Amino acid sequence: MRHPTPLLILAGCGLLAASGCHRAADAATEVAIERASGQKVSVDRDGERMRIATAGGHVAIATGDGIALPADFPDDLFLPPSYGVTSVMDVGGARLVSLEADGAVATMFETARTAMAGKGWAQTLAMQQADSAMLGFSHGPREATYTFTRHAGGPLLVGIQLRDSTRQ
């Protein structure tokens, strides 16, 4: 299966952020993606869950209040002690989960690093800046990347990208 284009992903994210009538937004998104990619697409929405499909693949996205971690989310990945799930996206063999949590970037970075090492993951990447940080890990055929960001006193945003080469 061919991976969806980056334009498809960006358009899907833009659609989720759009307010107003879902039908009008869905139609506008289809047209924008088709013009940008040259591919025929379809957008299927069920409440806060959406699937964007092309002949080459699909993107599944869930956003909003009350989103839960997927039932098959691996239990050997670090999760903050207290968090809320803000979105889950499956695209091109990867799962992207966005969380809001309490805490500081530097503290969460160190906690995640220690927890992942304790679960058998090998660190492959580490980067820290004032209000953001990134960690990468591998464990057999799986790769996990964490991003930690805080903007102007808002919640700590935690992004988790998981790729499993055996599931592609």
Side-chain angles (χ1 to χ4, degrees), residues 45 73 77 79 156:
R45 180 190 297 272
F73 193 80
L77 289 176
L79 289 169
L156 175 62

Side-chain angles (χ1 to χ4, degrees), residues 19-34:
S19 60
C21 175
H22 288 302
R23 283 189 187 176
D26 291 352
T29 298
E30 284 182 15
V31 169
I33 295 170
E34 287 173 357

Side-chain angles (χ1 to χ4, degrees), residues 1 8 15 38 42 49 60 72-73 82-83 85 89 95 121 149:
M1 177 176 89
L8 180 66
L15 174 61
S42 66
R49 299 184 188 279
D72 64 345
F73 193 80
S82 174
Y83 64 88
V85 180
M89 184 182 340
R95 174 164 287 159
W121 288 79
T149 310

Side-chain angles (χ1 to χ4, degrees), residues 18-144:
S19 60
C21 175
H22 288 302
R23 283 189 187 176
D26 291 352
T29 298
E30 284 182 15
V31 169
I33 295 170
E34 287 173 357
R35 284 185 183 161
S37 69
Q39 297 182 35
K40 178 75 177 151
V41 301
S42 66
V43 175
D44 181 31
R45 180 190 297 272
D46 179 14
E48 298 298 329
R49 299 184 188 279
M50 181 177 58
R51 181 180 171 104
I52 302 172
T54 69
H58 71 275
V59 176
I61 307 167
T63 65
D65 294 333
I67 299 288
L69 282 176
D72 64 345
F73 193 80
D75 60 1
D76 67 341
L77 289 176
F78 165 77
L79 289 169
S82 174
Y83 64 88
V85 180
T86 58
S87 71
V88 176
M89 184 182 340
D90 290 311
V91 58
R95 174 164 287 159
L96 292 84
V97 177
S98 296
L99 312 172
E100 288 186 354
D102 295 324
V105 169
T107 303
M108 193 68 70
F109 176 91
E110 288 302 329
T111 302
R113 179 192 299 217
T114 302
M116 291 295 281
K119 294 174 183 255
W121 288 79
Q123 183 177 314
T124 58
L125 168 73
M127 181 203 74
Q128 284 186 293
Q129 295 177 324
D131 292 330
S132 65
M134 180 183 288
L135 282 168
F137 300 92
S138 66
H139 190 281
R142 299 183 299 157
E143 295 176 352

